[in-house]
Amino acid sequence: MPCSTNDELNALVKEAKKVLQYGKVADYIPALQKANAEDLSAAIFYPNGRCISAGDIEQNITLQSISKVLTLALALMDCGEEKVFSKVGYEPTGDPFNSIIKLETSQSAKPLNPMINAGALAVTHLIKGESVEERLQRLLDFIRALAGDRAISYDGEVASSEYQTADLNRALCYYMRKDGIIDEDVEELLDLYTKQCAIQMDCLDLSRVGLIFAMDGRDPVREKQLIPVEVARLCKTFMVTCGMYNASGEFAIRVGIPAKSGVSGGIMGSVPNRFGIGIFGPALDEIGNSIGGMKLLELMSEQYDLSIF
Ligand code: GLN
């Protein structure tokens, strides 16, 4: 039985909130420090269009690393698998999401996977368009279609706060440019990437995007295939193997669903053929995942038997 009432979800959120005291909001992007560490909200979107929620689900959250799934989908639709995987690999790293070490030590020059920063930068590089504006516009149009929300945009303050402090991502770009993985102006790529990470939506929209992946790219409400099946499956597989950074293995055991987190405290979950999940809880654990969100998903998985394994 899936979680089916607001009351049930509220009870789980209340229980999960007990761990918030052990978390901390991200501070390496200065604008993210403004978030309230006590927040934890969640929405679930079902294929029949019904949704349930708990907490303040109307506040906007920036996608941060959750955007990596969406740019991967668009780049695959733009350029095809062969081109994308000539620039990025398939394997989990076991390192923090912003680590540079494997670029130097692994045999191939390619970043290991599209869910770490290096891999995501290589994927964003592939988004088609004549200018940063056009590429961003195409990405926004794609995300608006997935969420069914024309109002989705990016938070300019968060984007410029990250851009100004993005020296590690800058270093990743230069490293990859040296090896020919990317060949565009690094500042332009960072401009696009930081705006991509600052795209914002509320938990309800996030759960709706999660549902599209859960349904293999099809929007069951509008009865439209928005992402090709094979692209949606590929993205979901990366969500399982690399979606929660270097906690993906433990998450697969404790929760067992395709999911992707971001340092804003967002988590998008896709329970295959059942429902999409959007969570916002800005207090993070030491790896950078929403501490309350992880707990909530664990409780949901236990109670509603969500594991795909
Ligand atoms: N914008 C963030 C960064 O590149 C995204 C990282 C994340 O959410 N883990 O550092």
Side-chain angles (χ1 to χ4, degrees):
M1 261 288 288
C3 186
S4 57
T5 66
N6 288 335
D7 286 350
E8 275 176 24
L9 189 58
N10 266 311
L12 295 182
V13 166
K14 194 170 164 210
E15 177 64 24
K17 273 190 162 184
K18 291 180 184 160
V19 302
L20 294 185
Q21 56 181 312
Y22 306 111
K24 206 168 138 285
V25 301
D27 55 8
Y28 79 100
I29 299 174
L32 293 182
Q33 284 180 58
K34 291 183 187 161
N36 179 1
E38 321 262 287
D39 276 346
L40 184 61
S41 43
I44 295 179
F45 213 101
Y46 293 96
N48 64 4
R50 203 175 143 248
C51 45
I52 60 172
S53 63
D56 178 8
I57 55 151
E58 272 166 30
Q59 60 178 315
N60 272 332
I61 55 173
T62 58
L63 293 177
Q64 300 302 333
S65 276
I66 301 170
S67 67
K68 291 170 177 159
V69 180
L70 309 177
T71 46
L72 176 62
L74 185 58
L76 284 164
M77 288 159 72
D78 271 359
C79 310
E81 244 181 272
E82 201 179 315
K83 171 89 183 171
V84 170
F85 293 105
S86 70
K87 301 283 183 193
V88 66
Y90 297 98
E91 304 304 331
T93 66
D95 298 321
F97 61 85
N98 52 5
S99 176
I100 198 167
I101 192 161
K102 292 277 183 353
L103 284 184
E104 189 178 12
T105 58
S106 63
Q107 279 181 338
S108 152
K110 290 192 283 190
L112 258 68
N113 71 70
M115 300 291 120
I116 51 171
N117 284 11
L121 286 157
V123 168
T124 299
H125 170 64
L126 295 174
I127 301 291
K128 285 194 172 152
E130 294 297 317
S131 60
V132 168
E133 291 68 35
E134 190 184 329
R135 290 154 84 195
L136 179 66
Q137 194 54 49
R138 290 192 60 247
L139 180 61
L140 278 169
D141 287 343
F142 176 60
I143 294 176
R144 286 170 182 160
L146 296 182
D149 183 348
R150 296 292 314 157
I152 286 174
S153 191
Y154 69 94
D155 181 329
E157 190 195 337
V158 172
S160 72
S161 173
E162 177 171 5
Y163 179 79
Q164 283 160 29
T165 54
D167 287 332
L168 186 45
N169 284 334
R170 212 165 253 117
L172 294 172
C173 288
Y174 280 111
Y175 206 102
M176 290 190 287
R177 207 170 70 155
K178 159 188 86 71
D179 288 330
I181 299 292
I182 61 173
D183 56 10
E184 69 174 297
D185 180 86
V186 167
E187 293 308 316
E188 284 194 2
L189 178 56
L190 278 175
D191 183 22
L192 178 57
Y193 173 80
T194 49
K195 286 176 177 154
Q196 156 202 324
C197 289
I199 292 174
Q200 54 179 351
M201 63 176 72
D202 62 24
C203 269
L204 205 58
D205 281 349
L206 193 57
S207 66
R208 186 153 187 181
V209 179
L211 175 68
I212 308 289
F213 285 96
M215 304 306 286
D216 282 344
R218 184 176 157 80
D219 183 332
V221 179
R222 283 165 294 172
E223 299 185 349
K224 247 174 131 176
Q225 191 74 35
L226 299 174
I227 302 171
V229 176
E230 56 284 3
V231 170
R233 287 195 180 151
L234 198 153
C235 292
K236 262 191 297 192
T237 312
F238 275 118
M239 288 162 76
V240 168
T241 56
C242 314
M244 312 307 278
Y245 319 126
N246 42 330
S248 299
E250 187 174 348
F251 184 80
I253 287 170
R254 295 201 192 289
V255 182
I257 63 164
K260 182 75 201 87
S261 64
V263 286
S264 53
I267 302 179
M268 177 178 83
S270 301
V271 188
N273 299 315
R274 287 176 71 181
F275 50 81
I277 304 171
I279 293 180
F280 178 51
L284 307 180
D285 60 22
E286 62 288 351
I287 285 177
N289 291 313
S290 166
I291 195 165
M294 297 290 268
K295 186 71 197 169
L296 177 61
L297 286 169
E298 203 179 314
L299 294 170
M300 284 173 70
S301 185
E302 269 167 27
Q303 196 154 333
Y304 303 109
D305 192 21
L306 301 187
S307 176
I308 61 170
F309 297 107

